Amino acid sequence: MKEYQTITEISGPLVFAEVDEPVGYDEIVEIETDDGRTLRGQVLESSDGLVSIQVFEGTGGIDRNASVRFLGETMKMPVTEDLLGRVLDGSGEPIDGGPEIVPESREDIVGEAINPFSREYPEEFIQTGVSGIDGMNTLVRGQKLPIFSGSGLPHNELALQIARQATVPEEEEAGDDEEGSEFAVIFGAMGITQEEANEFMDDFERTGALERSVVFMNLADDPAVERTVTPRLALTTAEYLAFEKDYHVLVILTDITNYCEALREIGAAREEVPGRRGYPGYMYTDLAQLYERAGRIEGKDGSVTQIPILTMPGDDDTHPIPDLTGYITEGQIVMDRNLNSQGVEPPVNVLPSLSRLMDDGIGEGLTREDHGDVSDQMYAAYAEGEDLRDLVNIVGREALSDRDNKFLDFADRFETEFVQQGYDNNRSIEETLELGWDLLSDLPKEALNRIDEDLIEEHYREDEAETAEVEA
Amino acid sequence: MSQAEDIESVDQDGVIESVSGPVVTATDLDARMNDVVYVGDEGLMGEVIEIEGNLTTIQVYEETSGVGPGEPVENTGEPLSVDLGPGVLDAIYDGVQRPLDVLEEKMGTAFLDRGVDAPGIDFETEWEFTPTVDVGDTVEAGDIVGEVPETESITHKVMVPPDYEGGEIESIENGAFTVDEVVAELSSGEEITMHQEWPVRQARPADTKETPTVPLVSGQRILDGLFPIAKGGTAAIPGPFGSGKTVTQHQLAKWADADIVVYVGCGERGNEMTEVIEDFPELEDPKTGKPLMSRTCLIANTSNMPVAARESCIYTGITIAEYFRDMGYDVALMADSTSRWAEAMREISSRLEEMPGEEGYPAYLAASLSEFYERAGKFQNINDTEGSVTAIGAVSPPGGDFSEPVTQNTLRIVKTFWALDADLAERRHFPSINWNESYSLYRQQLDPWFRDNVADDWPEVRQWAVDVLDEEDELQEIVQLVGKDALPEDQQLTLEVARYLREAWLQQNAFHDVDTYCDPKKTYRMLLAIKTFNDEAFDALEAGVPVEEITDVDASPRLNRMNTSDEWNEFIDELESELEEQIRSLY
């Protein structure tokens, strides 16, 4: 290990140093300042004689006399099953006052890509107990399903509700004696406020979830550059627990927007050619390296399921962060400001939401035979109702036909009864689908063109349609 | 160079000067542009992309963490090539044609390690070779000399490599050979094996490019019915995320009546590729009844795999497609997504500190795109067979905005445009191809085929559907203002007919066993049934029947069930006579 006192330039989060021996790309660096602090960083660019180093803790306090040590290895995360129940800071050091972590192995935090040939296609339904998700945008094990939210929307409540309620119904029936895999939650916080962090911690403690969780905390006042490592530490831990220790791991990453801001900061400091809105051109690749670390592997019992949370600047889903995310993840759950102000809990707008893996995770033997058709029909009916609302604003309800009025009523009930459920209400998939039929039965039978005729016979509630008609 | 080459024989020459992500510079490397080099102590595969004085810039196809200055760079002296021969089908490759199943075995882990090489085709397997020419025959470059049953459905043709001189056959043998054993010797002294190599960035030669006149039948109603693509044509599918690009590409890969399908997953999701790997061996080719995988070659470079290999995977794919075209096959190439490819170019370009063009893309973006699409087409091959490559590229415009450079530059080249629409996707209208925005410039030249093979009046019936949908589009604007009931009765009826066109005909459920594939004859028959309803309804309207009564007849909602009907001929015949009877009974 060689030590240098050759810093030539300090700029933003970057330090440039001269070296006389070659240094590897991505290698870890320790910088010791005059006042005895040790800061950690990573090699961003290595050329003969000069390296640029990104310092995680920020470059404050570094001067040209500081000494630079190259550790000769890339960044590693010490992993062990004992991490469960622990709270770590954004660079993986314990901050809960607990004992030192004795690692079982040390894993490279830049995970290698999973060979697509070795993956197992995710198709195990996860029941989150939230109708807007289970019924309309089903989550499956090994999926990456982000929550697209906005500032001031209750995305944290929804994420917590999912973490609390998520189960796989079949395994629950099988009972505890079955040698099923255990469930673990990894929480990676990037640049969230102390208050938000407390909200999560309190909930974890209250429900006892903490003992099966690993928490990584990079708070709003922690160094921004550290945010680029936090999710990688979290995912390395998740992969270890899932693929070495057979856990079913749910990873919640919040807030991806802060992560991207940190990327932009580094890019700007390196004077890179910026891409859209100043974000680096490689942001797609970089985000993919996070999101793609979810899934199942053939022959392994565990799985990594990811729920990243991002706040869309200006609620704009064409902003580069949600846009690139949507191209990588397997769908998205979109939170809606209007629904939120109407008091719908959780305010999930199902129309722009999507789960790409839904079709393979539902249906006979997985959830219920009618699930796909019911969800398609509700989508179509709700979309039609939404369209009609615009029209009502212009011509008034009286000008609309009977059929149209029924679709309007459907859209209202869909929001206030189906999506609306409260954060402590855990609905089984049966309950969700029955509620769906309850709503659909208000529509005329012939309008249900997305549902198989046999299924309509089996589930459609004639009496309700009639009463609805009589009332009308 | 291909991985099959003997690594011992290369000279050790350059030294790494700097490393920045996938871009490495080296000094003292004696290399030509696009030569393949091995970088660092681990021997990571890379390609020369810039030479400036003594400094050579290399893009590396693998992760470069830990690689540092001073490590060696070895030049192979050959450009990036693919291994061609029996064994390419039913395979799954990464962006530089390393078989992923072999990699898994060699690495012993589910994660992709570095510095592991594997040849594109297996050199151990023996294939049954049957000559199709005799000793004494004269063959030229490109000529077929024998056949190998490669998979259940595809016979592999062994050809004289295009860069050979050719000559009289001196010996040719029947029997089982590995791909690098000599099967024939020529008077020119050249030896023919079943294995060829071809540099990916160079198009394989062909005689002439012809105007395509046969459609690539996809079994998708909106494509076959409204916006057909020709065998040898080009198409773009742009759409925002969640609008169904990948499902459309998968549907095409599954059901298109091409002989060979090359599916390139370029910078997309790992799970999607896994789905293809798991599904295709189980699905049957509707034409031959054999597993789909036996006509398919998959190239998977997922979004988290190294970015430089994403840049090359498109070329790897099209080169393999051209090879099968040379055998006289109709090949369909799906690239999902060309935007990721363009972004990979952008990323490399910005690391090279090149002057950026529009939105940071390199100035040569348009040239690269057109070069790629020009390699598609219907060709008269140099061995006098006819073959085609159909190129279908998905485009992922940021924010769904079609005015961005990749979409615009693609649209200038391709002749079929299937515009995906987020709005349709939101209401679960799939495939969410917008019928007002999409177009196909092949319609005219394909009409004769449709007249001969489906129905004489196909173009006329299609035009009727287009007109109704156009009229609906205009009427909808009025409806938005005044409501449907304020329209005159005939226009209300048109809206109703258009609704059936949209819901019963244009919508197609990719996940329904019957509906997922729709024969063009059924596509036509379904359309005709809606037209029957239209004609009967307008007759009734003229006779003074109120529009509500016409649209409320019991039989009409059953138009929505035509798509899932297996015995569609009987079903539709019956439905039509019921419609006639019920509507006529109103007056």
Side-chain angles (χ1 to χ4, degrees), chain A residues 10 15 58 69 71 97 109 168 179 206 238 240 255 388 394 406 453:
Chain A
I10 304 167
V15 167
R69 272 197 304 275
L71 303 189
I109 67 157
V168 173
E179 220 184 301
R206 181 169 62 85
Y240 173 80
D255 178 330
L388 289 166
I394 303 170
K406 281 183 183 156
E453 276 166 323

Side-chain angles (χ1 to χ4, degrees), chain B residues 138-203:
Chain B
T138 307
V139 290
E140 291 171 12
D143 281 355
I144 295 167
V145 297
E147 293 181 345
V148 174
E150 182 174 356
T151 64
E152 280 178 73
S153 44
I154 299 296
T155 305
H156 195 102
K157 312 270 170 68
V158 177
M159 296 172 290
V160 181
D163 47 1
Y164 272 27
E165 262 174 48
E168 206 171 289
I169 300 236
E170 292 199 327
S171 75
I172 187 157
E173 283 176 78
N174 198 342
F177 298 96
T178 62
V179 289
D180 54 357
E181 281 173 336
V182 176
V183 293
E185 283 171 335
L186 305 184
S187 58
S188 58
E190 287 164 323
E191 295 177 332
I192 296 171
T193 65
M194 288 186 260
H195 170 222
Q196 295 190 15
E197 278 179 26
W198 194 261
V200 296
R201 294 184 201 277
Q202 191 183 335

Side-chain angles (χ1 to χ4, degrees), chain B residues 86 109 157 180 184-185 192 200 204 232 243 286 300-301 386 388 398 402 404 413 416 418 446 464 472 561 587:
Chain B
T109 152
K157 312 270 170 68
D180 54 357
E185 283 171 335
I192 296 171
V200 296
R204 284 175 68 90
S243 56
N301 185 271
E386 272 187 12
S388 69
F402 290 174
E404 58 90 42
I413 313 156
T416 312
W418 296 323
L446 297 178
W464 167 78
E472 185 204 25
R561 307 286 171 193
Y587 60 98

